[in-house]
């Protein structure tokens, strides 16, 4: 087929796919211009309801009600309330997720908490050797603090690395660089079979695909809210502690907000029960309530339909890239099997840094990950098939 015919055939397919897309209407709930925004796996787009809510929080709740808002505007209970709003998106029943702090801080709480939950004589922490760096740094410190040895392992070797010494295992559901999705159910059950505690980082899966925390018996999990959950820059992260473990969860950061009687101002600590045991200090209300407003776009949206569209988008992107881009110029490092794919496509490309600059100049926003990866994140709530075809076309033009 000639190049022109190819472009018009794929363009027509894109139009058909967009017309049949049940989620297409959600795009109107976001503030977007005519760039193709494929960086929602780094910072989700602004949803249209957020500016008005933030304005109300600042001017009325803070400006007029002032201190009364801790109660009257629901500020004090926001971490648990918003945790319950995130819960269905990650397959958790209410009462197990608390929002606050950064992912890094929650990795620390979860991992030290996991080692404390593990049985006597277990003195090894396994961590995905290819993890997002902050998880590895925090794991090293958690290991030092708990007297454990940190063992970085290739995610494919986790099962064989498990043993009677393993206290806790920190894994990513989806790899931030390659977009590879790991088998959370079978890894969690292998971890349990070895008598260890599982900690999952959901940064690149929550809001993009089903997680099934309760169904698969995950022990602890953390995730950020500014990627596929569109919470805004630096929006607070969350911590999941399975209901059955909450009474034994011993946080390494037992601040006054997780005290059973925070206003009793007791000199001695007594942990609250439930998810709020994961709280630390005063929550960052402005970011937190922006996140709460952003989560409203999920009302009535099923994560299964989001997953179906995500796979259709990434399939279509890979198809357009292989049709348009000269053979050998890029190589996908994202698994082609659906079961092993998250919601991004990562392409290895020799001059990836310069290529991404050029793509951004031409209205296609992805990102570059050192040393040679072009990353394209597909947020099904606001990315369509015509966007996807255009991104592949601009990439081909850039590379030719
Ligand atoms: C985005 C991301 C983080 C970010 O951590 P912060 O503390 O929010 O900066 C951590 N881990 C993973 C796997 C991520 O993808």
């Amino acid at each position: 087929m000639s190049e022109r015919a190819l472009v018009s055939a794929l363009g027509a397919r894109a139009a058909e796919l967009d017309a049949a897309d049940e989620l297409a209407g959600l795009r109107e709930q976001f503030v977007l211009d005519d760039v193709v925004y494929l960086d929602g796996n780094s910072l989700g787009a602004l949803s249209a309801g957020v500016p008005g809510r933030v304005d109300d929080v600042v001017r009325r709740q803070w400006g007029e009600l002032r201190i009364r808002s801790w109660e009257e505007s629901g500020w004090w209970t926001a971490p648990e309330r918003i945790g319950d709003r995130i819960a269905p998106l990650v397959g958790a029943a209410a009462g197990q997720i608390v929002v606050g702090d950064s992912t890094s801080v929650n990795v620390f709480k979860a991992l030290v908490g996991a080692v404390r939950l593990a049985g006597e004589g277990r003195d090894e922490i396994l961590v995905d050797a290819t993890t997002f760096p902050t998880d590895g740094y925090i794991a090293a410190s958690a290991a030092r603090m708990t007297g454990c040895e940190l063992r970085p392992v290739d995610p494919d070797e986790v099962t064989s690395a498990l043993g009677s010494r393993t206290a806790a295992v920190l894994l990513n559901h989806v790899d931030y660089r390659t977009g590879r999705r790991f088998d959370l159910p079978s890894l969690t059950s292998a971890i349990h079979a070895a008598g260890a505690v599982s900690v999952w980082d959901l940064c690149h899966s929550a809001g993009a695909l089903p997680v099934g925390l309760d169904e698969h018996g995950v022990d602890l999990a953390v995730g950020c809210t500014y990627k596929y959950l569109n919470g805004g820059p630096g929006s607070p992260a969350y911590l999941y502690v399975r209901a059955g473990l909450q009474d034994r969860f011993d946080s390494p950061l037992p601040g006054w907000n997780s005290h059973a009687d925070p206003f009793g101002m007791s000199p001695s600590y007594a942990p609250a029960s439930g998810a709020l045991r994961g709280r630390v200090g005063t929550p960052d209300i402005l970011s937190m309530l922006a996140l709460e407003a952003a989560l409203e776009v999920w009302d009535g949206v099923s994560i299964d339909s989001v997953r179906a569209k995500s796979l259709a988008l990434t399939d279509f992107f890979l198809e357009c890239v292989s049709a348009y881009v000269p053979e050998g110029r890029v190589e996908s490092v994202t698994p082609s099997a659906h079961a092993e794919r998250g919601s991004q496509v990562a392409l290895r490309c020799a001059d990836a840094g310069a290529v991404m600059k050029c793509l951004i100049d031409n209205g296609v926003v992805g990102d570059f990950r050192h040393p040679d990866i072009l990353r394209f994140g597909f947020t099904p709530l606001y990315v369509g098939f015509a966007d996807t075809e255009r991104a592949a076309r601009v990439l081909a033009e850039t590379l030719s």
Side-chain angles (χ1 to χ4, degrees), residues 28 47 74 93 131 159 161 164 184 196 199 212-213 217 225 278 284 289 298-299 387 397:
E28 282 164 30
S47 65
T131 191
T159 308
S164 58
L184 178 145
V199 181
L213 289 177
T225 61
D284 38 8
L289 298 188
W298 290 94
D299 287 344
D387 297 326
E397 286 161 12

Side-chain angles (χ1 to χ4, degrees), residues 41-42 102-105 107 131-132 134-135 172 174 176 201-204 224 226-227 235 237 375:
N41 54 341
S42 196
S102 63
T103 304
S104 304
V105 171
V107 167
T131 191
F132 188 93
T134 203
D135 297 51
N172 294 289
V174 172
Y176 79 102
D201 185 324
L202 310 178
C203 281
H204 282 272
C224 70
Y226 49 76
K227 292 171 184 166
S235 59
R375 248 183 17 154

Side-chain angles (χ1 to χ4, degrees), residues 273-331:
S273 55
L276 60 85
R277 196 174 275 206
R279 287 177 64 158
V280 184
T282 306
D284 38 8
I285 292 298
L286 301 184
S287 287
M288 190 152 325
L289 298 188
L291 164 64
E292 186 170 36
L295 290 170
E296 285 175 12
V297 304
W298 290 94
D299 287 344
V301 176
S302 96
I303 197 73
D304 292 313
S305 54
V306 167
R307 173 61 168 167
K309 181 175 173 187
S310 158
L311 289 171
L313 286 168
T314 50
D315 275 344
F316 189 56
F317 183 65
L318 287 166
E319 181 185 343
C320 293
V321 167
S322 75
Y324 293 162
V325 174
E327 183 93 33
R329 195 67 179 81
V330 296
E331 177 208 352

Side-chain angles (χ1 to χ4, degrees), residues 112-120 197 219-220 241-251 271-274 277:
V112 174
V115 173
R116 291 176 176 177
L117 283 165
E120 282 292 303
V197 180
D219 300 306
L220 298 127
V241 181
R242 174 158 68 78
L245 295 177
Q246 287 172 347
D247 284 349
R248 291 198 295 130
F249 176 68
D250 179 8
S251 172
S273 55
R277 196 174 275 206

Side-chain angles (χ1 to χ4, degrees), residues 54-297:
V54 170
D55 189 74
D56 179 63
V57 170
V58 171
R59 291 181 198 280
R60 188 182 59 84
Q61 298 184 10
W62 179 15
E64 295 171 24
L65 300 178
R66 291 179 288 269
I67 196 81
R68 289 165 51 190
S69 271
W70 282 107
E71 242 184 84
E72 289 176 27
S73 305
W75 288 357
W76 185 261
T77 51
E80 301 86 70
R81 180 177 73 244
I82 302 170
D84 284 346
R85 186 67 196 77
I86 292 170
L89 300 175
V90 291
Q96 301 175 101
I97 295 183
V98 71
V99 174
D101 311 309
S102 63
T103 304
S104 304
V105 171
N106 283 299
V107 167
F108 178 76
K109 291 184 237 173
L111 202 50
V112 174
V115 173
R116 291 176 176 177
L117 283 165
E120 282 292 303
R122 292 179 177 265
D123 62 355
E124 193 173 75
I125 297 174
L126 302 184
V127 64
D128 172 352
T130 56
T131 191
F132 188 93
T134 203
D135 297 51
Y137 306 154
I138 300 278
S141 176
R144 218 156 14 104
M145 268 189 54
T146 54
C148 284
E149 194 180 313
L150 182 68
R151 209 171 133 200
V153 287
D154 185 289
D156 291 319
E157 319 267 281
V158 168
T159 308
S160 53
L162 289 163
S164 58
R165 283 184 59 191
T166 316
V169 185
L170 172 62
L171 296 173
N172 294 289
H173 193 193
V174 172
D175 183 275
Y176 79 102
R177 192 191 297 269
T178 61
R180 176 174 171 196
R181 171 182 177 270
F182 291 98
D183 188 345
L184 178 145
S186 78
L187 285 164
T188 302
S189 63
I191 292 166
H192 288 164
V197 180
S198 57
V199 181
W200 284 94
D201 185 324
L202 310 178
C203 281
H204 282 272
S205 58
L209 49 98
V211 179
L213 289 177
D214 288 352
E215 183 188 348
H216 305 303
V218 167
D219 300 306
L220 298 127
V222 302
C224 70
T225 61
Y226 49 76
K227 292 171 184 166
Y228 295 102
L229 295 173
N230 313 305
S235 59
Y238 55 90
L239 171 68
Y240 165 92
V241 181
R242 174 158 68 78
L245 295 177
Q246 287 172 347
D247 284 349
R248 291 198 295 130
F249 176 68
D250 179 8
S251 172
L253 293 172
W256 74 293
N257 270 231
S258 63
H259 196 284
D261 180 17
F263 293 96
M265 300 294 168
S266 165
S268 61
Y269 182 74
S273 55
L276 60 85
R277 196 174 275 206
R279 287 177 64 158
V280 184
T282 306
D284 38 8
I285 292 298
L286 301 184
S287 287
M288 190 152 325
L289 298 188
L291 164 64
E292 186 170 36
L295 290 170
E296 285 175 12
V297 304

